[in-house]
Amino acid sequence: MLGALKNVSERNVYDEIEEELYEMIVGRIREGDPVLDVGCGECHLANLLAKRRGCRVTGVDTSDSGFAKGMAEAEAWGTSDLVECLKVDARSLNSTIDKMFKVAVSVYALHEYEEALQVLKEVRKVLKPRGKILLVDFLKGSTAESLWSERYYTPTEIKSMMRKAGFGGIELEFPWDRELVFATASDRSH
Ligand SMILES: C[S@@+](CC[C@H](N)C(=O)[O-])C[C@H]1O[C@@H](n2cnc3c(N)ncnc32)[C@H](O)[C@@H]1O
């Protein structure tokens, strides 16, 4: 059962739910090795997945500014052998990464991609047959809009992009009173 929020007005609810959110994501990625984390930032999720699931994780991000922190965490957690962080633009994943993944995850990054559809198409290309994708992002109309004045996608837009990118079995959930969207799907091209 997902936690309900009491007063979401101007609080940064995302800080409050961060730990529970990561736990939920780890719970969703029970099987699947290797894992791709698109827009990995400081590689925290990559380290957590490696630590908890023992899986190999490749994190990619256009910015490597968070990698040093991620590598320090990997060192502290003993996950260095399982986690790699690469400075890669996900718009050209397929031509830059010589690897296929069972699962791709992307947290709080979809809305930041300059060409989100292109990124999703590239992610699908590096997924193994019946590989799965899990997208987590802020939702249009969520508290994130008043906190950061960014533009977020509607459920319809997300579903449509995923379909256009070649994913099937698309399912959307809206945990924490629609503060977030969890979008899952699988590659339907194989
Ligand atoms: C809000 S941060 C989220 C970071 C991390 N996933 C987290 O949950 O803390 C979004 C990340 O997406 C990355 N990003 C944006 N466009 C990208 C692209 N085309 N390819 C790879 N990463 C991208 C940004 O550099 C940034 O690190």
Side-chain angles (χ1 to χ4, degrees):
M1 174 72 181
L2 301 171
L5 297 169
K6 294 179 198 105
N7 170 18
V8 295
S9 53
E10 291 303 321
R11 294 186 346 242
N12 184 340
V13 296
Y14 306 102
D15 281 348
E16 295 173 22
I17 65 175
E18 186 177 300
E19 213 172 306
E20 202 182 337
L21 172 66
Y22 279 120
E23 282 305 317
M24 234 175 115
I25 295 168
V26 171
R28 293 298 176 92
I29 304 177
R30 280 185 201 288
E31 55 206 56
D33 184 11
V35 176
L36 172 69
D37 182 1
V38 189
C40 61
E42 297 175 345
C43 310
H44 176 61
L45 178 62
N47 281 319
L48 197 61
L49 285 167
K51 185 179 170 198
R52 297 279 297 281
R53 299 267 171 243
C55 54
R56 293 161 294 162
V57 189
T58 298
V60 296
D61 204 298
T62 42
S63 164
D64 58 4
S65 61
F67 291 0
K69 190 172 176 193
M71 290 305 98
E73 186 176 64
E75 193 70 36
W77 288 6
T79 53
S80 303
D81 290 347
L82 292 171
V83 174
E84 62 175 353
C85 296
L86 306 173
K87 189 174 177 187
V88 164
D89 189 327
R91 287 176 293 183
S92 52
L93 259 181
N94 192 34
S95 56
T96 35
I97 290 218
D98 186 21
K99 219 176 192 180
M100 299 290 277
F101 300 89
K102 285 290 277 186
V103 179
V105 62
S106 179
V107 180
Y108 294 156
L110 183 70
H111 70 277
E112 285 204 12
Y113 301 144
E114 267 179 41
E115 297 171 87
L117 177 58
Q118 172 66 12
V119 169
L120 294 182
K121 283 180 178 171
E122 289 289 299
V123 171
R124 192 189 54 70
K125 286 183 200 163
V126 298
L127 278 182
K128 292 186 179 186
R130 292 174 300 285
K132 304 255 187 282
I133 185 170
L134 166 61
L135 298 172
V136 178
D137 205 3
F138 310 110
L139 197 57
K140 184 159 186 60
S142 66
T143 301
E145 276 182 352
S146 51
L147 287 171
W148 298 298
S149 304
E150 293 176 307
R151 185 193 175 277
Y152 306 111
Y153 293 108
T154 64
T156 309
E157 287 170 328
I158 293 170
K159 212 165 186 173
S160 158
M161 263 193 293
M162 292 178 92
R163 199 176 292 125
K164 282 184 191 155
F167 288 102
I170 303 163
E171 285 180 22
L172 267 53
E173 296 164 67
F174 308 102
W176 289 287
D177 300 341
R178 298 183 77 85
E179 289 295 347
L180 296 177
V181 58
F182 265 57
T184 50
S186 55
D187 169 34
R188 64 170 183 206
S189 67
H190 297 276

